[in-house]
Amino acid sequence: MTTFRRRVAEWRSPSLRRATLWVPQASLKADSVNKPFAQRCQDLAKVIEDFPAKELHAIFPWLVESIFGSLDGVLVGWNLRCLQGRVSPVEYSIAMEFLDPGGPMMKLVYKLQAEDYKFDFPVSYLPGPVKASIQERVLPDSPLYHNKVQFPPTGGLGLNLALNPFEYYMFFFALSLITQKPLPGTLHIRTSDCAYFILVDRYLSWFLPTEGSVLPALSSSPGGPNPSPAPRTPTMPFASYGLHHTSLLKRHISHQTSVNADPASHEIWRSETLLQVFVEMWLHHYSLEMYQKMQSPHAKESFTPTEEHVLVVRLLLKHLHAFSNSLKPEQVSPSTHSHATSPLEEFKRAAVPRFVQQKLYLFLQHCFGHWPLDASFRAVLEMWLSYLQPWRYAPEKQAQSSDCQARCVSERWAPFVQENLLMYTKLFVGFLSRALRTDLVSPKNALMVFRVAKVFAQPNLAEMIQKGEQLFLEPELVIPHRQHRLFTAPTFTGSFLSSWPPAVTDASFKVKSHVYSLEGQDCKYTPMFGPEVRTLVLRLAQLITQAKQTAKSISDQCGESTAGRPFLSWLGFCSTDTNGSYAANDLDEMGQDSVRKTDEYLEKALEYLCQMFRLSEAQLTQLTLALGTTQDENGKKQLPDCVVGEDGLILTPLGRYQIINGLRRFDIEYQGDSELQPIRSYEIASLVRVLFRLSSAINRRFAGPMAALCSRADFLGSFCRYHLTEPGLADRHLLSPVARGCAARRPRGPRLSLRFLGSYRTLLSLLLAFFVASLFCIGPLPCALLLVLGYLLYAVAMTLLTERSKLHHL
């Protein structure tokens, strides 16, 4: 520590400071390699506290990159996405304290903010639509980029944004979720336990508070709180983009006439910046034009979010609902707006529709259309359902009854439902399309169907959605022009607050504007409660019924195979089903409990769908019969949907779907030469081949005598036929006409098969028999004679039974 203090004293020397401002950066870089993490953070906190902004601004970009990693993903930084308290408690607590909203790093940000420093951020690392817009010299619609673009000099490498310290810090923090790839071995880390996820939650709680009308102030000195400075009005012209918006509240701040004005007006810019950065970096990867192009099956995906990315976005949406719903009761209605209203309260009303709605809709549309058809879609599903239920995060939620059936969506949420109509209807249709292509026998897929059906079946919600559709489909003489920014951007002349559009009293116009702004003026809307969607719901109801029966069949089959399995199978030597089985799914791994859960999820999902779309019991019964889901005489086996043709059964499209998803199957078994069937996993390959050669040699040598013995009409002939001939084709399952004819043209004579001696089970049984005989002092030869005698008695009995059954059939 003495060395560090001496170094600090040297840095404070005016002569050294004037001559070598790079010395702190060089020393800190060296310390970042040589010193432990805790000591580095302690030294950084000391440097931030002692040095002025003039000297700290040189190390700020390096420090931010060393924490969050480089934008190209080469440098990992502190790897906050994998840092967990239960794994590395010391490093976790130090990092969280250093990066806390009231910690040393944010003090450095505010210290630099007070001096109006700017830092270059390359446009090439921005989301695709933003980067393309700026490169085409078109101003992005978000105020976050206004007055910040710097064009390179002749021969420059590219465009840059001139960001203030708070913006620069938040840009890196938000982008590290996308640019930084998890290290090997960290793929199974729980996202909600990681430092990055916790920091996002802390920043949201600090800068978007749900209590009070003023942001928490950063205490930078013992004398009391010192609010962070607002960004100064930039002087760099932006003439090449034409008219431009002012920054969200710069106009508002510049017109403050009293030093005693509401302090929230000086703090609100942080809330706006934080929200804009998070939304732009995490959601703005698809534009309306790009989304329309992505509907083509030949389109190439531009950006693929990860499950971790989606979980963090869900955290943002949940907090935004809580933030927006924390409005004071007298300020909920826009008609009560006045200049005395707190800027933070105004921001609460405008945050979701102004910044989030459109970008989230395109983000969700892409996920619904391109996410793999597996259980990982649950993260996207829960993010969507969280956005659809703002009432879950309202203050009055605490006073609701614990009885789920008693909960009813209040009419106060009707405007939200109407102004987010596509979020409910268009995405519900997208989910139906996914559900119809998934294996509903899987408990995880069944749970997703249940979750969606449960949310949409909440009392009064379906009625509000239907009312919104009626408002949209209501004819009018003048259809609103496609004003993409009418409800999504301020006007060119005012600040964020003053430019927010006045309240539109016509509910029909508001719903139409919402749909046209998200889908375009020429969109083709499919009503959620119209005949097309109802047909999809009926198909889903059919598949749910079918999946329930299939799950029961699998459960019964597993129970039978377990009950009838010989003792030696538990040692791993029993033969498995060689004739095929249902496709693998979660039920095979999770057992009877999963069957119960699947049946419960599907049963409740079907009940909720019937409530929403008013499906009667008679309709469900008719659909079940039409689909051919009635069970056969044994109550278990069901063939795939097919029709009878000239050459046998022909699969229908539904039958192909059933087979692909493992919902049904044909009973397939080996019908060829039993001696030539593939070697099984329970057989010794080399021994099977030797026994085959031996059997073939015996059959060739003694073919005549064996045929003569089998042709005898006495008991000896019956005994030989039982051992040397295979069951006739009549005893086997029905084959197709072509295969049956081929089999009929290839009659087989009597022959000996020794393949059973190549089975692990047979050899282990013999070994166990000799071992038990040795316990009774019976030698190998007497034991072998006893085994032969026992088998002869068994073969005689089976021969008599076989002959009696043939006489009975005759």
Side-chain angles (χ1 to χ4, degrees):
M1 196 63 190
T2 305
T3 304
F4 174 73
R5 288 176 179 172
R6 185 173 64 252
R7 198 174 290 167
V8 169
E10 293 174 354
W11 292 343
R12 285 180 170 177
S13 171
S15 60
L16 285 177
R17 231 177 23 234
R18 284 192 301 269
T20 56
L21 292 180
W22 51 269
V23 172
Q25 181 175 356
S27 302
L28 292 174
K29 285 184 177 180
D31 293 343
S32 66
V33 178
N34 302 322
K35 289 188 177 182
F37 182 73
Q39 185 63 46
R40 299 201 313 264
C41 291
Q42 183 179 353
D43 291 353
L44 287 170
K46 183 68 174 175
V47 169
I48 292 170
E49 186 72 26
D50 292 345
F51 279 76
K54 184 178 180 181
E55 298 182 11
L56 291 174
H57 87 278
I59 70 168
F60 182 66
W62 164 82
L63 181 57
V64 171
E65 188 176 83
S66 66
I67 294 173
F68 301 123
S70 59
L71 295 172
D72 56 10
V74 175
L75 299 179
V76 179
W78 290 5
N79 198 22
L80 297 173
R81 290 169 56 188
C82 302
L83 183 60
Q84 292 181 291
R86 60 184 179 85
V87 177
S88 307
V90 176
E91 290 81 358
Y92 175 85
S93 60
I94 292 173
M96 296 299 291
E97 182 180 353
F98 188 82
L99 299 176
D100 189 80
M105 192 64 192
M106 202 56 69
K107 289 183 180 180
L108 171 60
V109 170
Y110 293 146
K111 185 179 285 191
L112 297 173
Q113 192 80 30
E115 301 297 330
D116 199 28
Y117 284 108
K118 299 294 181 182
F119 300 91
D120 289 342
F121 186 93
V123 170
S124 58
Y125 290 106
L126 295 175
V130 178
K131 177 173 63 176
S133 179
I134 294 178
Q135 290 175 344
E136 295 172 3
R137 303 297 193 267
V138 177
L139 180 65
D141 61 356
S142 174
L144 183 66
Y145 307 105
H146 298 169
N147 303 317
K148 293 183 175 67
V149 177
Q150 288 184 322
F151 294 98
T154 305
L157 296 179
L159 295 169
N160 290 313
L161 297 180
L163 305 179
N164 64 45
F166 186 79
E167 293 167 339
Y168 188 83
Y169 177 83
M170 286 301 170
F171 266 62
F172 265 86
F173 175 75
L175 275 176
S176 63
L177 176 66
I178 299 170
T179 58
Q180 298 299 310
K181 304 303 179 185
L183 296 176
T186 60
L187 298 178
H188 302 291
I189 291 179
R190 188 177 177 182
T191 300
S192 58
D193 294 336
C194 296
Y196 186 87
F197 190 90
I198 304 299
L199 272 177
V200 171
D201 187 51
R202 288 191 185 182
Y203 288 158
L204 289 172
S205 301
W206 183 281
F207 296 110
L208 301 175
T210 57
E211 297 181 1
S213 59
V214 181
L215 270 67
L218 181 69
S219 180
S220 58
S221 64
N226 180 23
S228 59
R232 299 179 184 178
T233 304
T235 59
M236 182 176 55
F238 209 73
S240 60
Y241 285 79
L243 293 174
H244 59 276
H245 306 288
T246 58
S247 184
L248 291 183
L249 281 176
K250 284 172 185 171
R251 184 179 179 85
H252 183 73
I253 294 172
S254 64
H255 282 74
Q256 294 294 323
T257 58
S258 171
V259 293
N260 296 321
D262 187 351
S265 62
H266 293 283
E267 299 296 325
I268 188 69
W269 70 269
R270 294 184 294 162
S271 303
E272 298 167 357
T273 301
L274 178 88
L275 178 57
Q276 289 181 84
V277 171
F278 284 178
V279 170
E280 289 294 307
M281 301 303 118
W282 295 343
L283 295 177
H284 196 186
H285 294 275
Y286 316 101
S287 63
L288 179 60
E289 293 74 17
M290 187 182 300
Y291 157 67
Q292 292 171 340
K293 292 177 182 177
M294 291 299 293
Q295 304 311 300
S296 169
H298 306 291
K300 182 180 179 182
E301 293 189 39
S302 56
F303 174 79
T304 305
T306 62
E307 188 173 349
E308 179 189 14
H309 182 172
V310 171
L311 292 174
V312 175
V313 172
R314 186 191 180 208
L315 174 65
L316 170 65
L317 297 179
K318 291 167 66 176
H319 188 87
L320 280 177
H321 277 322
F323 177 68
S324 300
N325 292 333
S326 63
L327 272 170
K328 297 176 183 177
E330 65 273 9
Q331 296 173 342
V332 171
S333 174
S335 61
T336 62
H337 168 68
S338 67
H339 292 290
T341 305
S342 164
L344 187 61
E345 299 296 324
E346 291 289 343
F347 183 57
K348 288 179 181 180
R349 182 184 299 113
V352 172
R354 168 68 177 86
F355 295 109
V356 179
Q357 187 190 72
Q358 184 189 55
K359 296 179 176 65
L360 176 64
Y361 175 72
L362 298 178
F363 184 83
L364 283 170
Q365 278 281 36
H366 183 273
C367 290
F368 273 58
H370 296 84
W371 200 277
L373 289 171
D374 57 22
S376 66
F377 185 72
R378 175 78 186 279
V380 178
L381 188 79
E382 294 299 337
M383 174 182 67
W384 172 49
L385 296 180
S386 293
Y387 182 79
L388 298 186
Q389 303 177 86
W391 46 88
R392 291 185 57 194
Y393 312 100
E396 64 267 20
K397 176 181 180 293
Q398 313 300 330
Q400 286 182 350
S401 169
S402 59
D403 184 7
C404 296
Q405 298 299 326
R407 295 180 181 177
C408 179
V409 181
S410 170
E411 280 295 330
R412 62 163 288 204
W413 300 107
F416 178 88
V417 174
Q418 294 168 7
E419 294 168 18
N420 290 271
L421 184 64
L422 290 177
M423 292 286 192
Y424 291 90
T425 60
K426 185 75 176 288
L427 293 179
F428 180 80
V429 176
F431 175 76
L432 284 179
S433 300
R434 289 185 61 91
L436 292 172
R437 291 179 289 147
T438 55
D439 177 12
L440 298 184
V441 180
S442 165
K444 296 177 181 178
N445 293 334
L447 174 59
M448 287 192 280
V449 175
F450 162 74
R451 287 284 296 123
V452 173
K454 180 181 179 182
V455 168
F456 277 83
Q458 294 177 87
N460 203 35
L461 179 57
E463 289 76 5
M464 287 193 289
I465 296 174
Q466 203 162 7
K467 175 63 176 177
E469 291 192 324
Q470 291 172 358
L471 290 172
F472 174 74
L473 298 174
E474 182 180 289
E476 61 180 359
L477 297 177
V478 180
I479 299 178
H481 295 292
R482 180 181 173 184
Q483 298 265 343
H484 183 62
R485 297 181 182 177
L486 178 61
F487 287 95
T488 58
T491 59
F492 291 125
T493 57
S495 69
F496 164 69
L497 296 180
S498 62
S499 64
W500 182 247
V504 180
T505 56
D506 183 14
S508 176
F509 180 77
K510 292 198 322 188
V511 176
K512 285 177 166 56
S513 299
H514 155 73
V515 173
Y516 293 142
S517 65
L518 295 188
E519 286 281 337
Q521 184 72 39
D522 53 351
C523 72
K524 296 181 180 179
Y525 182 77
T526 303
M528 178 174 165
F529 294 95
E532 295 180 33
V533 178
R534 187 177 180 86
T535 302
L536 294 178
V537 172
L538 292 176
R539 285 181 55 196
L540 181 60
Q542 293 172 340
L543 292 180
I544 287 176
T545 305
Q546 179 178 295
K548 290 175 58 181
Q549 295 179 356
T550 303
K552 186 177 183 306
S553 297
I554 296 176
S555 174
D556 294 343
Q557 186 185 44
C558 293
E560 289 179 0
S561 62
T562 302
R565 195 176 295 168
F567 171 75
L568 292 177
S569 66
W570 297 104
L571 300 177
F573 296 105
C574 180
S575 62
T576 57
D577 181 15
T578 61
N579 297 324
S581 62
Y582 284 104
N585 53 46
D586 297 344
L587 294 177
D588 300 329
E589 302 174 0
M590 302 174 66
Q592 297 296 319
D593 189 51
S594 290
V595 177
R596 180 185 60 80
K597 288 182 179 179
T598 298
D599 187 70
E600 180 181 338
Y601 292 147
L602 295 178
E603 182 70 29
K604 295 298 292 183
L606 191 58
E607 177 184 334
Y608 289 138
L609 289 173
C610 291
Q611 290 177 12
M612 290 170 53
F613 294 91
R614 298 178 177 86
L615 303 179
S616 65
E617 194 69 30
Q619 285 177 304
L620 291 180
T621 304
Q622 183 180 5
L623 292 172
T624 301
L625 294 174
L627 193 64
T629 56
T630 52
Q631 298 176 339
D632 60 6
E633 64 276 2
N634 61 14
K636 285 172 280 189
K637 297 181 179 179
Q638 305 168 35
L639 293 178
D641 193 67
C642 52
V643 295
V644 180
E646 295 181 358
D647 295 330
L649 300 178
I650 302 175
L651 282 173
T652 65
L654 175 60
R656 286 193 292 270
Y657 167 83
Q658 293 167 342
I659 290 180
I660 291 173
N661 289 276
L663 302 178
R664 293 189 183 183
R665 62 160 187 168
F666 287 106
D667 288 329
I668 302 173
E669 63 181 32
Y670 185 79
Q671 298 280 357
D673 189 343
S674 58
E675 286 292 287
L676 300 178
Q677 63 180 312
I679 296 176
R680 309 299 182 183
S681 59
Y682 55 85
E683 294 177 322
I684 304 174
S686 57
L687 184 57
V688 168
R689 295 187 180 96
V690 171
L691 292 172
F692 174 73
R693 297 190 186 97
L694 179 60
S695 301
S696 299
I698 294 175
N699 292 330
R700 286 193 300 269
R701 176 66 179 81
F702 300 101
M706 286 192 294
L709 288 172
C710 290
S711 62
R712 295 176 55 147
D714 54 6
F715 175 79
L716 181 59
S718 300
F719 187 84
C720 292
R721 285 192 296 274
Y722 175 78
H723 288 88
L724 300 178
T725 60
E726 292 186 78
L729 292 176
D731 297 332
R732 299 198 173 189
H733 292 286
L734 180 66
L735 295 170
S736 69
V738 177
R740 189 187 313 153
C742 295
R745 289 193 296 269
R746 290 184 279 105
R748 302 188 185 100
R751 58 180 180 172
L752 178 67
S753 175
L754 300 176
R755 181 165 177 162
F756 71 97
L757 293 175
S759 169
Y760 286 108
R761 183 175 60 177
T762 302
L763 296 178
L764 184 60
S765 300
L766 292 174
L767 184 62
L768 187 61
F770 282 110
F771 174 75
V772 172
S774 67
L775 297 179
F776 294 93
C777 300
I778 300 176
L781 185 58
C783 180
L785 292 176
L786 288 174
L787 289 175
V788 172
L789 180 61
Y791 177 76
L792 288 175
L793 293 175
Y794 168 79
V796 168
M798 292 301 298
T799 301
L800 293 175
L801 290 175
T802 302
E803 290 298 317
R804 181 176 298 178
S805 63
K806 288 183 179 179
L807 292 174
H808 177 74
H809 286 298
L810 292 174

